[in-house]
Amino acid sequence: MEQRISLITLGVADLARSRAFYEALGWRGQEIEETVFFQAGGLGLVLWGRDKLAADSGLPDDGAGFGGITLAHNVRSDAEVEQMLAAAQAAGATITKPAATNPLGFRSGVFLDPDGHPWEIAHNPGFPLAADGSITIPDFGA
């Protein structure tokens, strides 16, 4: 696994309020399908409903374990999704969402590290990776 984070997704209670907060800080977001994306240097910060993020991570949002944040590591091929999940499991991770093509059409899966932090492994051709692993949030208006 390359040493990098592609996306940090924050599970939020009120998407409009959270977007307004970050935009008041001077950030510029793009909303698509009730999800707000911000380019943050070489990675993306994403705002998404907390309940949706928990469900997408294969976790209950019962206050006992899910902290409201998921880290993502984007890879360059569908095959790498399975490879990374297998490597994580071999290292001691728990798979909460096996690799599958999600409703948005890209391949992803989720594992928990030993302390329960969710990591999504995804191959999303719409979010191109540079040679150094940095990610570019696409212009959804184009």
Side-chain angles (χ1 to χ4, degrees), residues 33-128:
E33 297 185 22
E34 299 178 359
T35 309
V36 178
F37 295 86
F38 296 94
Q39 186 72 50
L43 61 88
L45 177 71
V46 183
L47 306 177
W48 199 22
R50 183 183 169 101
D51 57 335
K52 293 176 185 176
L53 181 59
D56 188 63
S57 297
L59 299 168
D61 188 14
D62 58 8
F66 180 62
I69 185 170
T70 298
L71 305 171
H73 180 88
N74 283 32
V75 294
R76 292 176 174 82
S77 71
D78 285 350
E80 280 186 90
V81 174
E82 281 83 357
Q83 292 166 359
M84 294 308 319
L85 290 171
Q89 189 169 33
T94 301
I95 305 299
T96 59
K97 183 179 163 191
T101 300
N102 64 31
L104 297 175
F106 64 88
R107 194 104 178 129
S108 66
V110 177
F111 71 83
L112 301 181
D113 75 7
D115 291 297
H117 302 111
W119 280 82
E120 178 184 39
I121 305 299
H123 173 236
N124 184 343
F127 286 62

